[in-house]
Amino acid sequence: MLKFILVLLLLYLVFRLVLTTLGRGLFIRYRGGDPPGGGRVPPSASRRQVEEADYEVIDTQLKDNERADG
C-alpha cells in the first residue's frame, strides 16, 4: 500500500513537471510583450501609479501635520 502511494506521488510530480515545462515552452512568446488580447496595462505602469498615489497621500499627511502644528 505504501509503495502504491509513493508511486502515485511520483507520477503526480512527474506529470506536474512535464506540464510546467510544456507550458513555459508554448507560452514563452507572450511573456515579454503585449498579451495577445491587448488592452491590459503593463505592471510597470500600474506600479508607477501606485507610487505616485503613495507620494500624494504622504504629502497630504505632511501638510495636514504642519497645519496642525503651526
Side-chain angles (χ1 to χ4, degrees), residues 6-8 18 23 35 39 41 44 49 51-52 60 62:
L6 290 175
V7 168
L8 284 178
V18 168
V41 176
S44 60
Q49 291 172 348
E51 288 177 5
E52 288 176 9
T60 304
L62 287 174

Side-chain angles (χ1 to χ4, degrees), residues 7-23:
V7 168
L8 284 178
L9 180 65
L10 182 65
L11 286 174
Y12 168 75
L13 291 174
V14 168
F15 184 70
R16 197 171 119 192
L17 176 69
V18 168
L19 285 180
T20 304
T21 304
L22 286 176

Side-chain angles (χ1 to χ4, degrees), residues 17-50:
L17 176 69
V18 168
L19 285 180
T20 304
T21 304
L22 286 176
R24 286 185 185 156
L26 292 175
F27 299 110
I28 195 161
R29 61 182 167 209
Y30 297 125
R31 289 191 177 197
D34 293 335
R40 277 172 101 192
V41 176
S44 60
S46 62
R47 207 174 300 142
R48 280 189 213 120
Q49 291 172 348
V50 169

